[in-house]
Amino acid sequence: MKKNIIAMNASIMIGLGSILAAPSVYAESISDLEKQKEFIQEKRSGVESNISDTEKKIDSLQDKQMTAEDQIAAIEAKIAESAKKIDAKNAEITQTKKEIEALKEEIKVLKERIAKRNEVLKERALSFQETGGDVNYLEVLFGSSSFGDLVDRVGAVATIAEADRDILKQHELDKKELEEKQKAVETKLASLEVAKAELLEIQKQQKQQKQEKDALVKKLKQQTEKHEHEKMGLEEEKANLAAQEKAIKSAISLEHQRLAELEAARKKAAAEAKKRAEQEAAQAAAQAASQASQATETKKQSTSSGYSAKSNSSSSSSPASSNVSQAPAVSSGTFTRPSAGYVSSTMGERWNKQHAGIDIAASGTVPVVAAADGVVSRSYFSSTYGNVVFVTHSISGQQWTTVYAHLSSRQVGEGAVVAKGQQVGIMGNTGHSYGQHLHFELHKGSWNYSKSNAVNPLNYIPN
């Protein structure tokens, strides 16, 4: 009999021990959640710092872009000025070429004159060679018939000699003038051509400078767009971290509430165990009076205890009903499949970008469910994700984030506590999407813009 009483008390103490030990488990869970919250806060602070740095980069790039555009405007003004100077030089060259054409006509006339003079001079030289020079003039003088005729002949000879000297002098002057005119025009034309070539070279350099500045502005614009895109991603990451921090706080609050409920249950169980121990002790003392009545009483108590345990077991194992239709069965693993359908695209490289999740496609009205217990950290419309729900999970001290994108509608709001298999939305085709499907991402840790924490969902959910 004493052995039976000791065994009963031992079983009660074991039950109490398990109940009393439970709070430490939840305390560790709360500690993990607090660490996750601190980590998210630190990361959020880092993201805010990155946003500030990115904004400074954008401002610097925009300043450089404005400076480059001002320089381009100045270069364009210089190019226009050079073009005017080139046009002016072209006009001068055209005019000089006209002058050259006119000069060619003058040169032609001069050449004809020189040619005629050459003929006269040749005749004079030939006559001089045949008569011995002055003989011709003496014959003219001695052949005079009177003094008056002599005077006339002397004057004629002098005139002829002077004419010869004039011819030679004019001949030399014409030749010199011809050479000077040719040289002057050629020098002028060459000078104009050199000036034009210099202007063309300057203009070429200016155009090259403009091309370089245009390329710089294009590069600066691309860099600005890149940083603006990064800023948008960082701002989205900041919003997600804020939402995750809120979700972790909610999870901590729920954990405290659960711990309080557990403590209340522990106290109630301890009181009930004490009461049962007192009752069993009284019953054991009464049973000592009569062995027969003790056996009968022991049998009744055993039957009653078995019924009670069976009833409690049946009650605790009663599954919660679900209103989710057309959804896959909730699996027993850590994560369950988020929707019905076939995997139309896996995680990896796609369209020269990293596809950070999987696509599950199906037609009709297809419910999307939470892959695990958690808290909705974000529920909003994104330009890329479309209607999207983010759920933060804390599983065995590890934070996870699941993403359900391109939904036609969302069934849960931020801060909502969801159970594994609970509907969060309807499969759709919103945002940057082609055809109805669910884009599902799984992140071991928090979601970030670079999606560096993304893992392959197919390694965690049932196929």
Side-chain angles (χ1 to χ4, degrees):
M1 186 190 304
K2 289 183 178 179
K3 289 181 179 179
N4 290 337
I5 293 171
I6 293 169
M8 287 180 183
N9 288 333
S11 66
I12 291 168
M13 292 306 294
I14 291 169
L16 285 171
S18 64
I19 293 171
L20 290 169
S24 64
V25 176
Y26 286 99
E28 288 176 6
S29 178
I30 290 173
S31 176
D32 290 336
L33 289 170
E34 288 287 356
K35 288 178 181 177
Q36 290 175 20
K37 184 182 75 173
E38 290 174 3
F39 174 76
I40 288 173
Q41 287 173 339
E42 290 175 3
K43 196 164 186 181
R44 184 179 171 190
S45 176
V47 169
E48 287 174 348
S49 176
N50 289 338
I51 290 173
S52 177
D53 291 342
T54 304
E55 286 175 344
K56 289 178 182 177
K57 288 178 182 177
I58 290 171
D59 291 340
S60 175
L61 288 168
Q62 287 177 340
D63 289 342
K64 289 179 180 178
Q65 185 176 325
M66 289 177 64
T67 301
E69 287 173 348
D70 290 342
Q71 291 173 345
I72 287 171
I75 291 171
E76 286 176 342
K78 289 180 180 179
I79 290 172
E81 184 179 351
S82 297
K84 288 182 180 178
K85 289 180 179 179
I86 290 169
D87 290 340
K89 290 298 177 187
N90 283 331
E92 287 185 55
I93 289 170
T94 301
Q95 181 61 36
T96 302
K97 286 180 177 180
K98 288 180 180 179
E99 291 176 5
I100 289 172
E101 291 300 321
L103 183 60
K104 284 180 179 179
E105 293 299 322
E106 293 181 17
I107 289 170
K108 185 179 178 181
V109 172
L110 284 172
K111 284 182 177 180
E112 289 176 355
R113 289 179 188 171
I114 290 169
K116 289 179 180 178
R117 290 192 192 109
N118 282 335
E119 291 298 322
V120 173
L121 291 173
K122 283 179 182 179
E123 290 177 2
R124 290 281 190 274
L126 182 61
S127 174
F128 180 80
Q129 187 178 9
E130 291 176 350
T131 59
D134 291 340
V135 175
N136 188 30
Y137 295 117
L138 291 173
E139 288 179 353
V140 170
L141 293 174
F142 288 122
S144 58
S145 57
S146 62
F147 181 76
D149 186 28
L150 177 62
V151 171
D152 291 337
R153 289 190 176 219
V154 169
V157 168
T159 301
I160 292 169
E162 185 65 26
D164 287 344
R165 284 193 297 272
D166 289 344
I167 288 172
L168 288 171
K169 184 178 180 181
Q170 188 61 44
H171 186 62
E172 292 298 326
L173 289 174
D174 286 346
K175 284 180 69 178
K176 185 178 180 181
E177 181 184 3
L178 175 61
E179 290 172 356
E180 287 176 352
K181 283 186 177 181
Q182 281 182 325
K183 186 176 180 181
V185 173
E186 287 171 358
T187 301
K188 182 179 179 181
L189 182 60
S191 175
L192 289 172
E193 292 290 354
V194 169
K196 178 184 174 181
E198 289 175 352
L199 288 171
L200 287 171
E201 182 61 28
I202 291 170
Q203 189 182 57
K204 180 182 177 181
Q205 292 175 359
Q206 290 168 343
K207 287 181 178 179
Q208 186 176 352
Q209 289 174 356
K210 183 178 180 298
Q211 288 176 350
E212 290 172 357
K213 293 297 180 182
D214 287 338
L216 175 61
V217 169
K218 184 179 179 181
K219 183 179 179 181
L220 290 171
K221 285 181 178 179
Q222 289 174 343
Q223 290 177 342
T224 302
E225 288 174 1
K226 179 185 174 183
H227 286 303
E228 285 176 345
H229 188 64
E230 288 176 358
K231 181 186 173 185
M232 288 175 63
L234 288 168
E235 287 175 343
E236 188 170 5
E237 183 175 352
K238 176 185 173 183
N240 277 312
L241 287 170
Q244 287 178 9
E245 183 182 347
K246 185 178 178 182
I248 292 292
K249 287 180 180 178
S250 176
I252 291 171
S253 177
L254 290 172
E255 206 68 25
H256 279 296
Q257 182 181 345
R258 187 184 301 178
L259 185 59
E261 291 173 353
L262 180 64
E263 180 64 18
R266 185 191 66 80
K267 290 180 179 179
K268 183 179 179 182
E272 290 177 351
K274 183 179 179 182
K275 185 178 179 181
R276 283 199 304 272
E278 291 173 352
Q279 289 174 350
E280 288 173 359
Q283 289 172 359
Q287 288 170 0
S290 174
Q291 186 66 36
S293 61
Q294 179 186 353
T296 304
E297 187 64 20
T298 301
K299 184 178 180 180
K300 288 181 179 180
Q301 288 180 0
S302 176
T303 304
S304 175
S305 298
Y307 175 77
S308 177
K310 185 176 180 181
S311 175
N312 289 340
S313 174
S314 174
S315 175
S316 63
S317 63
S318 175
S321 60
S322 175
N323 293 324
V324 177
S325 61
Q326 300 179 12
V330 178
S331 65
S332 59
T334 304
F335 296 98
T336 191
R337 191 179 176 87
S339 75
Y342 67 95
V343 178
S344 60
S345 182
T346 57
M347 182 175 177
E349 190 76 16
R350 188 178 75 171
W351 302 331
N352 295 324
K353 290 179 68 178
Q354 179 66 16
H355 188 233
I358 62 171
D359 293 342
I360 302 175
S363 58
T365 303
V366 184
V368 175
V369 301
D373 297 343
V375 180
V376 177
S377 53
R378 293 209 74 188
S379 178
Y380 70 114
F381 184 87
S382 163
S383 60
T384 53
Y385 280 136
N387 279 313
V388 62
V389 172
F390 287 70
V391 179
T392 298
H393 314 271
S394 181
I395 302 171
S396 301
Q398 172 64 52
Q399 182 189 347
W400 298 81
T401 307
T402 50
V403 180
Y404 312 81
H406 306 316
L407 304 174
S408 63
S409 62
R410 292 172 275 120
Q411 310 297 320
V412 291
E414 293 181 5
V417 179
V418 294
K420 184 180 182 181
Q422 180 181 334
Q423 185 171 338
V424 296
I426 301 293
M427 187 185 291
N429 186 29
T430 58
H432 192 193
S433 170
Y434 301 97
Q436 178 173 295
H437 70 282
L438 167 68
H439 174 75
F440 177 68
E441 294 179 13
L442 179 61
H443 300 261
K444 193 173 184 179
S446 58
W447 180 96
N448 56 55
Y449 173 67
S450 62
K451 301 182 181 179
S452 59
N453 293 333
V455 295
N456 191 346
L458 294 178
N459 295 334
Y460 296 87
I461 65 171
N463 294 329

